Amino acid sequence: MASDKLNVVIGKRQILREIKKGNIAEIKIAADAEQDYILSMIEIAKQYEVKYLICGSREEFSAKYAIDVPTGAIGLLKYV
């Protein structure tokens, strides 16, 4: 869905950049991501008091958000 793609940021770096600006409403973390990656994303979410959810797979995120490569996390942007 194209509209879904416009409302997310992809990957740890982009999520971290936007979370520091206060633009992230929720982080979705792929259940099949590497354990260290999952733990680091949870830590970031807790540090910035952002809701997080471990769900789906990297391939499911890629398909749903029209991403060329599998990704371990998606940051859902707040609506302005």
Side-chain angles (χ1 to χ4, degrees), residues 9-76:
V9 291
I10 300 147
K12 188 175 184 176
R13 269 187 256 171
Q14 289 186 40
I15 291 170
L16 189 55
R17 181 177 57 234
E18 292 301 323
I19 206 168
K20 287 178 179 179
K21 296 177 187 177
N23 294 337
I24 301 291
E26 180 180 13
I27 300 171
K28 290 188 177 186
I29 306 166
D32 65 349
E34 292 183 22
Q35 190 65 26
D36 290 344
Y37 185 86
I38 293 172
L39 293 175
S40 69
M41 293 307 301
I42 291 171
E43 187 173 321
I44 289 168
K46 287 181 178 180
Q47 179 182 351
Y48 289 92
E49 299 178 352
V50 172
K51 181 180 166 184
Y52 68 91
L53 181 62
I54 299 173
C55 63
S57 70
R58 297 175 332 137
E59 286 76 21
E60 288 172 349
F61 288 171
S62 295
K64 181 172 182 175
Y65 297 104
I67 305 163
D68 293 337
V69 295
T71 185
I74 299 287
L76 302 178

